[in-house]
Amino acid sequence: DEIGLIPCPEARYNRSPIVLVENKLGVESWCVKFLLPYVHNKLVLYRQRKQWLNKDELIDITCTLLLLNPDFTTAWNVRKELILSGTLNPLKDLHLGKLALTKFPKSPETWIHRRWVLQQLIQENSLPSLVTKGNLGAAPVERIHRLVQEEMNVCSEAAGRYPSNYNAWSHRIWVLQHLGKLTVKVLLDELSSTKYWVSMHVSDHSGFHYRQFLLKSLIGRTVTDNNVLVQNQIINEQNPSLQKEEESAGAEAACAEEQSVDLPRHLEEELELCTELIDSYPGHETLWCHSDETLNNSHHSPATSPMAQAMDVDGLNESSSKQGYTQETKRLKRAPMQDSFGPEVEYRFIDKVLSTCRDVDQARFATAYRKWLVTFLGQ
Amino acid sequence: APVFPRSAYCAASVASLTNILTPALFAGTAEWIARCQNWEGGIGGVPGMEAHGGYTFCGMAALVILKKEHLLNLRSLLRWVTSRQMCFEGGFQGRCNKLVDGCYSFWQAGLLPLLHRALHARGDTALSMERWMFHQLALQEYILLCCQCPAGGLLDKPGKSRDFYHTCYCLSGLAIAQHFGSGDLHHEVVLGGPENRLQATHPVYNITPEKVARAVMHFLQQPVPSLEPAA
């Protein structure tokens, strides 16, 4: 479940450089300068059609190569060909990638290949005749859910191995968008499962950015569902025929379920999380940044200002997809926020921080935050 | 692949210098790049992703070439990039809460000339006529004092080893920091002696302005390639 290089500049004993201890694979460093050129050369010769390799050899060679250097695109491409010809089980590549990431958590090519494999797997899902490659054989929905969970784990591990791992977090977002379909359930699950992680990685801007993505997707989701709900109501009123009834009832039920997302509560919890972390860990710009933006979200989230709802729908649709940024001019036109959390609370918090903190950076961030509150909220 | 602004910039750069830039070639590109700008103000690899120095420069420069920089929220971009200059080190970080890195001397600082020009074109009267909107001297200090390898070449930060990439972008950033504007408005500020002075670099293409002019002239004199395959 993990690979690594064992620093060992010379071969002292006449034994294999491969070490396997408790399911962890190690390679003594002295052998790499022999092994890597050897396998690399073999693959290049194969590609140039100067030397034939059979399927098993190809699988072995590419596997070795990629564990030593997972950014070797050609090796991943050879495996793509093997997958497409049906000789290689795509799940094996997910496992290989996972292993490579334990040592190379950023490896762009590994993440790129992973997305290709996942796309192959979901395409497979839509075909009636799957279940041939020894995969789970469970119902498609269940299978996808398991894939998503596994990806979340892989991303989490990789994120823990390298601070602010841009590639890991962007992969995580991609998986939610393309496999998880950004359902409310998945968004809420992710919100709760990453809460602990970000608390343990308070400088990890990528981690907090991910939470912004989740929150904004939830906001977008609520708006879309409200939209659908309203549209269905209009349709029902205009056309009381029985045909539509069943459809819209189903859709309404789904919307109602998703409607039960308590957006203000989640945003409030997020602000509380920020406040807590800012207090406990002074001087982390990411926390202030995240706090800024969460307040921004709550200030003009449709759930907290019903009057502004129509405007919000337009605004969000224009910025196409839930991750669009909102223009500053639109911000200033929003309806005022509820009292439960808001600028007054934030000002009190800032004042408290400024009067008690001894960290220079913390004071600077607090002052900047206050300036921003004054300018953009106009209060 | 999540590196869209980078490839768009390479394409726009080449196409504009070689005079093969057509609207059809970049149909929809500008709009897509604009969607990569996120709530932080910077630009990410794909819409929704974290703002990143490299992608932000590439995205902005591509839009400047396509003359569509006004699709971006320039104010929030300005706020984001100026927040990336580190108070202590003087150099720039690539993303919020990350460490300083010499190469961002170009990717991040290089945004300020582009923003300056775009805001000026929009009629902004508060713009300086002498300096960019970042601390030019502090950046020069960081590069000269912290990013030089004693054996030659430049690097990310003290403790790292030199490489061509960092050498290129530290020097490019140094050039940006030393030279404001061009022609009548040119204003230099060089830290240390005149031996530290570099030639100015073109803020979009990052080669000297004379080379940009020569390239453009050269290709303007060539026949534009037709879209049909060669006989």
Side-chain angles (χ1 to χ4, degrees):
Chain A
D1 57 9
E2 191 181 330
I3 57 167
L5 203 59
I6 302 171
C8 182
E10 277 167 30
R12 292 208 207 130
Y13 310 101
N14 190 12
R15 64 158 188 221
S16 163
I18 310 295
V19 177
L20 186 65
V21 175
E22 288 176 11
N23 217 23
K24 299 186 197 298
L25 180 68
V27 169
E28 289 179 2
S29 58
W30 64 263
C31 78
V32 176
K33 63 177 177 287
F34 303 111
L35 186 57
L36 185 54
Y38 172 72
V39 281
H40 181 264
N41 201 40
K42 284 203 99 165
L43 192 67
V44 166
L45 287 174
Y46 164 77
R47 265 308 211 219
Q48 291 171 339
R49 298 177 194 281
K50 287 179 186 162
Q51 198 180 80
W52 175 251
L53 290 169
N54 69 37
K55 308 271 199 265
D56 288 322
E57 288 172 316
L58 275 176
I59 292 177
D60 280 344
I61 289 195
T62 51
C63 185
T64 310
L65 264 169
L66 291 164
L67 288 177
L68 292 171
N69 177 16
D71 278 325
F72 188 32
T73 321
T74 307
W76 286 120
N77 288 344
V78 166
R79 291 182 79 94
K80 285 186 181 67
E81 288 169 6
L82 291 169
I83 290 174
L84 288 172
S85 70
T87 329
L88 178 58
N89 182 346
L91 292 177
K92 286 240 153 67
D93 271 24
L94 288 183
H95 186 246
L96 179 60
K98 183 176 180 178
L99 210 50
L101 290 168
T102 60
K103 185 163 182 288
F104 304 93
K106 288 201 296 176
S107 169
E109 292 302 319
T110 306
W111 293 110
I112 290 171
H113 182 77
R114 209 174 176 79
R115 285 189 278 278
W116 182 89
V117 170
L118 289 166
Q119 265 164 344
Q120 295 301 307
L121 286 171
I122 32 176
Q123 274 165 27
E124 231 180 78
N125 247 353
S126 51
L127 297 170
S129 58
L130 38 91
V131 201
T132 46
K133 293 178 184 164
N135 50 34
L136 306 169
V141 168
E142 173 69 21
R143 190 160 164 262
I144 296 218
H145 177 74
R146 265 184 248 182
L147 278 177
V148 170
Q149 280 317 301
E150 173 65 357
E151 290 310 297
M152 299 296 108
N153 284 339
V154 171
C155 290
S156 200
E157 293 263 317
R161 291 201 155 92
Y162 186 84
S164 259
N165 191 335
Y166 196 87
N167 295 337
W169 290 103
S170 54
H171 182 81
R172 199 163 181 160
I173 289 178
W174 183 93
V175 169
L176 285 197
Q177 290 169 327
H178 293 86
L179 266 66
K181 304 293 179 203
L182 293 176
T183 62
V184 168
K185 179 180 189 308
V186 117
L187 293 170
L188 289 177
D189 281 347
E190 278 296 283
L191 211 50
S192 74
S193 67
T194 53
K195 189 167 181 173
Y196 180 73
W197 195 94
V198 298
S199 309
M200 294 291 112
H201 297 82
V202 293
S203 269
D204 199 311
H205 192 69
S206 303
F208 281 95
H209 178 275
Y210 182 67
R211 289 182 77 78
Q212 281 302 328
F213 163 78
L214 294 172
L215 289 169
K216 286 182 202 301
S217 302
L218 273 173
I219 292 172
R221 212 19 170 206
T222 316
V223 166
T224 314
D225 294 341
N226 279 348
N227 230 6
V228 171
L229 207 59
V230 164
Q231 281 171 11
N232 281 343
Q233 283 169 357
I234 293 172
I235 290 170
N236 284 341
E237 280 159 24
Q238 289 174 351
N239 184 9
S241 74
L242 293 167
Q243 237 179 356
K244 290 261 182 206
E245 219 175 77
E246 221 181 71
E247 273 175 21
S248 55
E252 264 184 52
C255 289
E257 186 189 69
E258 300 205 329
Q259 271 277 201
S260 66
V261 175
D262 188 355
L263 214 38
R265 181 173 64 88
H266 289 295
L267 290 167
E268 187 172 352
E269 279 176 9
E270 199 65 18
L271 269 182
E272 273 170 21
L273 176 66
C274 289
T275 308
E276 213 179 284
L277 291 173
I278 288 174
D279 252 344
S280 314
Y281 306 104
H284 292 271
E285 189 169 10
T286 286
L287 296 173
W288 288 98
C289 211
H290 189 63
S291 195
D292 273 10
E293 190 56 20
T294 306
L295 192 65
N296 223 6
N297 287 332
S298 43
H299 186 65
H300 49 268
S301 145
T304 59
S305 53
M307 288 187 301
Q309 210 162 2
M311 278 199 307
D312 288 355
V313 168
D314 289 342
L316 280 162
N317 283 342
E318 258 171 35
S319 27
S320 67
S321 99
K322 295 107 192 170
Q323 301 93 350
Y325 69 94
T326 52
Q327 306 224 345
E328 277 161 29
T329 46
K330 285 197 176 99
R331 280 180 190 170
L332 296 170
K333 289 180 192 155
R334 300 302 183 190
M337 255 168 45
Q338 293 173 344
D339 291 334
S340 56
F341 55 102
E344 310 78 38
V345 175
E346 291 308 291
Y347 277 124
R348 280 202 297 274
F349 171 63
I350 293 170
D351 289 339
K352 179 184 157 246
V353 166
L354 283 171
S355 61
T356 56
C357 79
R358 278 166 291 174
D359 182 293
V360 168
D361 289 326
Q362 182 86 329
R364 184 164 52 87
F365 295 139
T367 312
Y369 187 39
R370 173 177 252 278
K371 249 195 205 164
W372 175 83
L373 272 181
V374 169
T375 317
F376 287 102
L377 299 187
Q379 304 193 27
Chain B
V3 290
F4 186 80
R6 206 156 68 187
S7 32
Y9 170 63
C10 291
S13 221
V14 168
S16 56
L17 287 174
T18 56
N19 192 30
I20 59 170
L21 200 157
T22 65
L25 200 54
F26 292 95
T29 305
E31 288 72 21
W32 183 272
I33 295 176
R35 284 182 54 199
C36 292
Q37 178 174 31
N38 77 349
W39 57 269
E40 300 174 78
I43 295 176
V46 286
M49 260 318 289
E50 197 184 337
H52 181 290
Y55 298 143
T56 306
F57 177 84
C58 292
M60 176 71 179
L63 288 177
V64 167
I65 293 172
L66 298 173
K67 303 200 204 318
K68 300 253 179 88
E69 58 267 47
H70 296 281
L71 287 180
L72 294 172
N73 183 331
L74 297 176
R75 278 195 70 205
S76 67
L77 176 52
L78 182 63
R79 182 174 179 238
W80 180 80
V81 65
T82 49
S83 305
R84 303 281 74 78
Q85 183 164 26
M86 316 287 281
C87 308
F88 177 70
E89 295 93 327
F92 281 79
Q93 65 188 175
R95 298 181 267 147
C96 181
N97 229 153
K98 289 212 78 177
L99 299 175
V100 71
D101 182 335
C103 69
Y104 292 112
S105 308
F106 180 74
W107 301 124
Q108 300 284 35
L111 281 165
L112 279 319
L114 299 178
L115 278 165
H116 209 102
R117 193 164 158 279
L119 291 168
H120 185 258
R122 220 162 58 169
D124 194 316
T125 51
L127 291 170
S128 163
M129 286 292 114
E130 288 185 346
R131 36 176 296 268
W132 305 122
M133 286 181 276
F134 71 93
H135 201 303
Q136 291 168 247
L137 281 174
L139 179 59
Q140 291 185 49
E141 265 188 32
Y142 177 68
I143 297 170
L144 292 171
L145 296 176
C146 304
C147 295
Q148 293 197 73
C149 172
L154 292 97
L155 36 90
D156 164 354
K157 57 173 72 65
K160 300 279 186 165
S161 44
R162 63 187 176 174
D163 59 59
F164 295 114
Y165 165 81
H166 283 94
T167 302
C168 172
Y169 291 103
C170 281
L171 290 174
S172 307
L174 187 57
I176 297 275
Q178 290 178 343
H179 299 274
F180 171 86
S182 61
D184 292 340
L185 286 172
H186 182 230
H187 187 88
E188 266 177 39
V189 59
V190 177
L191 182 75
E195 66 274 11
N196 288 344
R197 182 186 179 282
L198 295 179
Q199 280 186 55
T201 186
H202 192 290
V204 173
Y205 300 101
N206 196 21
I207 55 180
T208 59
E210 299 76 50
K211 296 228 163 73
V212 173
R214 271 176 31 207
V216 169
M217 287 310 299
H218 173 83
F219 286 100
L220 275 175
Q221 283 156 12
Q222 305 296 314
V224 177
S226 75
L227 288 171
E228 280 125 38

